[in-house]
């Protein structure tokens, strides 16, 4: 018996010495790819998230900008990275558009969702002397198609798609409210205040200064629920009985097939990041919407966003 016991202990010792101890992820620095240029909104959020995520993971996170192709180059590099957790990325709204527009086959299924950390819902804005509410605006548009023009961005931009989706959900052709392409929100607001157009679609922070000055009124926000930052602005469904919402978004993801334990470690860390005072103060100062979703909820969000943007793109006649 003693000999047998000694042999068992000896074998166990040899096995222990020959079996490597699995190190806890991460063991080395992580690369965070940003598909957009340095200095922009996505880059700013990425660098803030990276610095706070470093504190949770205990390893450096290097932010790398991979620009070009309207975000396609960076998104492709994230999707094609080795699924080991050492190359992650910030994925953005454009991922909900590419395959519908025919610019890239990429979609949300090419990634492992980790965490959603930002959404910015589109809103409907008019002059002070415009329609009193969204229901009246839609009624006027239906009564006299083409009489009310709208803008907020170029054709195919989020404001345009949001308006097209709203009209489609309201059982109206998208040209009922003709879209006037502009190079961003500033010229669109100039057209609004000069009476050249009647409606501007954009996020609320973009027009808040003019709302505060009494030059613009926000009729509704395209969210499923009211935005806690703007509690007095009704949702589209509340304002007009139309079930339509659409938001720009940003989140952290890895390539498809990221190991479950790695994905969980990252998702748990991101849950702590979004609660940090530094993150909240940064997002508030830059007027970015703070919406967090863990990996599972982010996956559902991505599927829903893909469907809604697809509906809007097809309604606008831009689908390929």
């Amino acid at each position: 018996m003693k000999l047998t016991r000694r042999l068992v202990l000896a074998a166990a010792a040899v096995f222990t010495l020959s079996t490597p101890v699995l190190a806890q992820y991460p063991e080395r620095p992580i690369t965070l790819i940003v598909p957009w240029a340095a200095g922009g909104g996505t880059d700013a959020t990425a660098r803030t998230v990276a610095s706070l995520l470093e504190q949770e993971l205990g390893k450096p996170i290097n932010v790398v900008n991979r620009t070009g192709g309207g975000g396609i180059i960076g998104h492709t590099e994230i999707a094609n990275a080795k699924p080991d957790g050492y190359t992650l990325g910030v994925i953005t709204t454009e991922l909900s558009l590419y395959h519908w527009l025919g610019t890239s086959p990429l979609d949300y299924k090419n990634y492992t969702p980790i965490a959603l950390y930002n959404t910015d819902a589109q809103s409907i804005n008019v002059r002070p002397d415009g329609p009193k509410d969204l229901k009246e605006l839609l009624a006027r548009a239906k009564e006299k198609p083409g009489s009310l023009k709208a803008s907020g961005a170029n054709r195919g931009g989020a404001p345009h798609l949001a308006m097209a989706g709203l009209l489609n959900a309201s059982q109206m052709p998208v040209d009922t409210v003709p879209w006037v392409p502009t190079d961003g929100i500033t010229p669109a607001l100039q057209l609004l205040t000069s009476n050249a157009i009647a409606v501007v679609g954009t996020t609320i922070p973009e027009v808040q200064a003019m709302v505060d000055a009494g030059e613009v009124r926000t009729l509704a926000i395209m969210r499923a629920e009211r935005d806690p930052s703007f509690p007095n602005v009704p949702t589209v469904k509340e304002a007009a009985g139309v079930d339509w919402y659409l938001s720009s978004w940003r989140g952290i993801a890895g390539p498809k097939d990221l190991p479950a334990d790695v994905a969980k470690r990252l998702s748990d860390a991101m849950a702590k990041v979004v609660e940090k005072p530094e993150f909240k103060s940064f997002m508030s100062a830059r007027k970015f919407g703070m919406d967090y979703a863990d990996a599972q909820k982010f996956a559902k969000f991505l599927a829903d966003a893909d469907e809604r943007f697809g509906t809007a793109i097809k309604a606008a006649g831009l689908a390929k």
Side-chain angles (χ1 to χ4, degrees):
M1 287 293 292
K2 289 184 178 179
L3 179 60
T4 302
R5 187 167 180 270
R6 286 173 185 164
L7 289 172
V8 170
L9 291 174
V14 170
F15 178 79
T16 301
L17 291 172
S18 63
T19 303
V21 177
L22 294 177
Q24 185 181 20
Y25 167 86
E27 298 179 75
R28 61 180 191 271
I30 296 168
T31 296
L32 184 69
I33 295 173
V34 178
W36 305 98
T42 299
D43 177 71
T45 65
R47 292 179 188 278
T48 298
V49 167
S51 67
L52 298 175
L53 197 55
E54 282 183 354
Q55 298 173 17
E56 295 301 320
L57 298 177
K59 293 294 180 182
I61 297 180
N62 304 313
V63 176
V64 177
N65 300 89
R66 291 283 188 261
T67 62
I72 291 174
I73 289 177
H75 279 97
T76 300
E77 189 163 332
I78 299 165
N80 291 342
K82 184 178 180 181
D84 58 6
Y86 291 99
T87 300
L88 308 172
V90 178
I91 58 175
T92 61
T93 313
E94 289 69 21
L95 186 62
S96 299
L97 280 63
Y98 293 143
H99 72 103
W100 295 110
L101 296 172
T103 54
S104 168
L106 287 173
D107 67 14
Y108 68 94
K109 300 184 193 74
N110 294 104
Y111 304 84
T112 299
I114 294 168
L116 174 74
Y117 65 82
N118 161 242
T119 66
D120 292 301
Q122 294 296 310
S123 64
I124 302 297
N125 305 272
V126 298
R127 291 186 302 277
D129 62 349
K132 66 179 181 180
D133 54 32
L134 182 58
K135 187 177 292 186
E136 181 181 317
L137 186 153
L138 293 173
R140 285 193 196 180
K142 187 173 183 179
E143 183 180 354
K144 294 183 178 180
S147 62
L148 302 177
K149 295 181 175 61
S151 189
N154 61 329
R155 280 178 58 81
H160 176 221
L161 296 176
M163 179 62 71
L166 172 62
L167 293 169
N168 180 68
S170 303
Q171 309 300 313
M172 286 188 274
V174 295
D175 58 2
T176 302
V177 179
W179 188 260
V180 179
T182 56
D183 188 20
I185 186 59
T186 300
L189 288 170
Q190 291 171 346
L191 291 175
L192 179 67
T193 55
S194 65
N195 293 327
I197 61 174
V199 184
V200 161
T202 188
T203 60
I204 293 181
E206 293 278 14
V207 295
Q208 192 59 48
M210 296 186 72
V211 170
D212 293 341
E215 299 177 53
V216 171
R217 283 190 301 115
T218 302
L219 300 184
I221 189 168
M222 296 187 185
R223 281 175 57 102
E225 299 175 350
R226 291 197 183 201
D227 190 330
S229 299
F230 309 100
N232 295 324
V233 179
T235 65
V236 167
K237 190 169 185 177
E238 289 175 322
V242 179
D243 187 15
W244 176 250
Y245 54 88
L246 197 72
S247 297
S248 301
W249 57 268
R250 298 180 176 103
I252 301 295
K256 185 180 178 181
D257 296 328
L258 207 61
D261 59 333
V262 171
K264 185 179 187 307
R265 175 95 165 95
L266 291 166
S267 186
D268 290 348
M270 279 299 298
K272 295 178 181 178
V273 165
V274 298
E275 291 299 325
K276 289 179 179 288
E278 303 97 312
F279 177 79
K280 291 182 177 180
S281 62
F282 165 79
M283 297 292 280
S284 178
R286 294 293 292 264
K287 300 190 182 302
F288 292 129
M290 287 181 282
D291 272 325
Y292 166 72
D294 63 18
Q296 187 175 5
K297 291 180 180 177
F298 189 21
K300 292 179 180 177
F301 174 92
L302 289 171
D304 183 65
D306 186 85
E307 181 181 349
R308 287 185 171 273
F309 273 101
T311 296
I313 289 169
K314 286 183 280 189
L318 299 175
K320 301 295 186 183

